[in-house]
Amino acid sequence: MSFTAIDRIPGIVAGLRYSFAQGTTRPEQWRREQLTKLRGLLLDRGPDFERALFEDLGKAGTEAQLTEIGFLVAEIDHALQHLAGWMRPRRVGVPLALQPATARVVPEPLGVVLVIAPWNYPLMLALSPVIGALAAGNAAVIKPSELAPATARLIAQLVPDTLDKRAVAVVEGAVPETTALLEERFDHIFYTGNGKVGRIVAHAAADNLTPVTLELGGKSPAYVDDSVPLAEAAKRLVWGKFMNAGQTCVAPDYVLGTRSVLARLAPLLADAVHELYGSATSENPDYGRIVNRAQFDRLVSYLGDGDVAVGGAHDATSLHIDPTVLTHVSRDARIMQEEIFGPLLPLVAVDDLDDALTFVVGRDKPLAAYVFSDDAAVRERWERETSSGALGFGVPVMHLTAPELPFGGVGESGMGAYHGELSFRVFSHEKAVLAKPLRPDTLAPTVMPPFTAAKDGLVRKWLRKLL
Ligand code: NAD
């Protein structure tokens, strides 16, 4: 493994800061060039990225295209299409008391930003924030996850050679390298990963008053009632849960339903697993593996927390765990205490809708909640009474493919959001620009001392109304 030498890190950041100060990254033309080159890299070297993702996670080529490579290309296309509009200053109104004057909101780049990525979508989550950072005219340091080493290596090899080296750097490394990075001053830190490290990042950022976006995880619930066709609901749950072998931040973590619904749902989930992945999932090239032994052992230790409806087989050598559905899981079981982040789907019985809502509201706010119900009143209660990063009716995961929907968490599942135009806004400062001619002078006769009785009357009676 070739990590970046820690003593090089201050120089790398200083170099980027110099380029930013020179104005290298500001022109629209530069931003377009970078995005276009990144797009070209993803397309030209797609097979290499697919191989790396297969090496790190056993990811199928089609899934790699769907959730990582093609996803990024679509994001770049969206940014290129809208960039001119996003960059354009926005004229806003001014109150009567200020007139004559003009007011504009002018987006400007923040400076040098740091993007820290996790291992589960190691390409997409390293580069997706960078698309926003470059579109907004920033210089960026990318810190890929050391736990997806093949992808991290490829990013480090290819990205600096493709993009403008003066403004984009990749730092390879683990905790010591990231710690050294966090000692530097950045203008924004964009972190995706778990909440424990999210807190470390937020602490470090506070020392420099650096704003942060924290894209974290949590236990995203799914609720199913019998107003929907259960076989279709089961298929969507299986798809959302077992893509990337369950290692997806917005995967449905567990399913809530009444005993009778769960009794009917469990065999349908088993059918859906067979339909999507066949019966010998260890041989199936469409099904990924667990990232490493530590995660494998943690996941296998949950298998006793319920009755196996489907799956359960696992193999430490190949880091394989079958897509597994567990029934009769108690609310206090270990599997229900932390984010599962693997291919185990526990079914947890509730008495009714109220019980399900109370259960979810009583826990940390999740990154997503999924509701499978065709009853409008049920949907409305989920929308009104629960808080989560996103809410999906009838479909898991897919909200993150709509560029106009903010993608991010709330509370324990994170702060800040991105995708589409928001990715541009996250990495921009919205500067308020006010221009008022010196003549006619409307200020001296109204708000400046000496305060005469007439001015006093004006301020007390009229100014409030004119503002
Ligand atoms: P990880 O272990 O790869 O860590 C993420 C990054 O933090 C890595 O780059 C790593 O080097 C760095 N890091 C780890 N320990 C550190 C420390 N002590 N100090 C400084 N930096 C450190 O990934 P992970 O955290 O295991 O990722 C899984 C978590 O991420 C899950 O909770 C998942 O839900 C969440 N996640 C969230 C999103 C989202 O978009 N909201 C997406 C993917 C994953």
Side-chain angles (χ1 to χ4, degrees):
M1 233 173 267
S2 58
F3 286 172
T4 306
I6 287 179
D7 58 6
R8 282 189 51 225
I9 288 175
I12 292 172
V13 179
L16 300 184
R17 196 160 285 294
Y18 176 80
S19 302
F20 180 75
Q22 296 298 300
T24 309
T25 61
R26 283 179 184 257
E28 183 180 342
Q29 187 56 29
W30 182 89
R31 306 182 195 192
R32 285 191 179 282
E33 267 167 31
Q34 301 309 306
L35 293 174
T36 307
K37 284 181 179 169
L38 190 58
R39 184 181 193 282
L41 174 72
L42 290 163
L43 293 176
D44 295 347
R45 303 300 291 266
D48 297 318
F49 284 119
E50 283 182 33
R51 262 192 295 281
L53 291 164
F54 183 79
E55 204 176 305
D56 286 331
L57 290 151
K59 218 171 264 212
T62 311
E63 192 170 297
Q65 284 294 339
L66 185 72
T67 61
E68 306 229 30
I69 304 164
F71 182 90
L72 288 167
V73 171
E75 266 202 306
I76 293 174
D77 287 340
H78 184 81
L80 285 170
Q81 190 187 343
H82 295 281
L83 185 60
W86 295 343
M87 288 178 68
R88 200 170 297 133
R90 190 161 36 93
R91 182 105 183 235
V92 294
V94 287
L96 212 56
L98 247 181
Q99 285 177 8
T102 56
R104 287 173 303 133
V105 180
V106 179
E108 61 180 21
L110 293 173
V112 183
V113 305
L114 171 62
V115 174
I116 305 175
W119 52 264
N120 62 330
Y121 289 85
L123 180 69
M124 190 267 278
L125 293 169
L127 296 185
S128 174
V130 174
I131 294 170
L134 295 176
N138 297 276
V141 178
I142 308 168
K143 213 305 279 171
S145 176
E146 72 281 13
L147 300 182
T151 310
R153 192 82 274 272
L154 203 57
I155 292 173
Q157 273 168 3
L158 298 179
V159 170
D161 279 344
T162 306
L163 301 182
D164 186 343
K165 273 199 191 62
R166 296 171 301 170
V168 182
V170 177
V171 166
E172 277 186 278
V175 178
E177 291 74 15
T178 318
T179 306
L181 274 170
L182 290 173
E183 280 162 16
E184 298 297 314
R185 187 174 69 76
F186 288 95
D187 299 290
H188 193 98
I189 301 177
F190 194 107
Y191 169 80
T192 307
N194 68 73
K196 198 168 134 260
V197 177
R199 284 171 167 78
I200 295 174
V201 170
H203 274 291
D207 283 341
N208 291 309
L209 279 184
T210 299
V212 290
T213 302
L214 300 178
E215 295 282 343
L216 311 178
K219 287 183 89 62
S220 297
Y223 172 76
V224 183
D225 71 19
D226 52 12
S227 64
V228 290
L230 289 180
E232 280 78 358
K235 203 192 284 189
R236 290 199 179 177
L237 282 167
V238 161
W239 172 72
K241 178 72 182 189
F242 298 116
M243 74 169 60
N244 206 28
Q247 301 162 114
T248 301
C249 56
V250 286
D253 188 272
Y254 60 94
V255 178
L256 297 174
T258 60
R259 275 171 194 79
S260 84
V261 167
L262 295 186
R264 276 175 288 150
L265 187 66
L268 295 170
L269 288 166
D271 291 347
V273 166
H274 290 136
E275 188 182 337
L276 270 66
Y277 294 107
S279 47
T281 54
S282 60
E283 310 297 322
N284 189 332
D286 291 349
Y287 182 67
R289 67 163 169 83
I290 306 308
V291 67
N292 58 31
R293 185 64 198 253
Q295 292 291 330
F296 175 89
D297 290 342
R298 181 182 65 83
L299 290 162
V300 167
S301 79
Y302 294 147
L303 281 169
D305 284 356
D307 300 333
V308 173
V310 64
H314 51 281
D315 172 47
T317 319
S318 56
L319 296 175
H320 168 87
I321 301 177
D322 273 357
T324 299
V325 175
L326 296 174
T327 59
H328 307 105
V329 176
S330 105
R331 299 175 188 202
D332 308 324
R334 272 184 51 247
I335 196 171
M336 290 303 293
Q337 307 313 311
E338 59 173 45
E339 182 181 3
I340 299 168
F341 220 53
L344 313 177
L345 184 62
L347 309 188
V348 178
V350 289
D351 295 336
D352 50 24
L353 173 63
D354 282 324
D355 193 19
L357 288 166
T358 306
F359 183 76
V360 170
V361 170
R363 301 178 145 231
D364 290 338
K365 293 178 180 177
L367 190 56
Y370 303 116
V371 176
F372 292 83
S373 173
D374 281 339
D375 182 334
V378 171
R379 289 177 174 223
E380 202 202 314
R381 287 198 62 192
W382 277 92
E383 196 166 319
R384 201 162 21 91
E385 295 178 28
T386 68
S387 178
S388 52
L391 177 60
F393 290 123
V395 61
V397 180
M398 290 303 265
H399 57 278
L400 65 83
T401 64
E404 292 187 30
L405 283 178
F407 180 70
V410 54
E412 280 290 320
S413 55
M415 60 174 82
Y418 70 132
H419 284 180
E421 182 171 355
L422 261 184
S423 294
F424 175 88
R425 302 274 162 225
V426 164
F427 292 106
S428 300
H429 166 60
E430 307 244 286
K431 184 157 67 185
V433 178
L434 179 71
K436 183 166 174 57
L438 286 148
R439 287 180 182 155
D441 185 3
T442 59
L443 298 183
T446 54
V447 294
M448 287 186 192
F451 293 131
T452 60
K455 286 183 192 175
D456 186 76
L458 183 79
V459 166
R460 286 178 198 279
K461 286 211 181 85
W462 296 107
L463 210 60
R464 239 180 320 118
K465 297 188 178 119
L466 300 178
L467 283 171

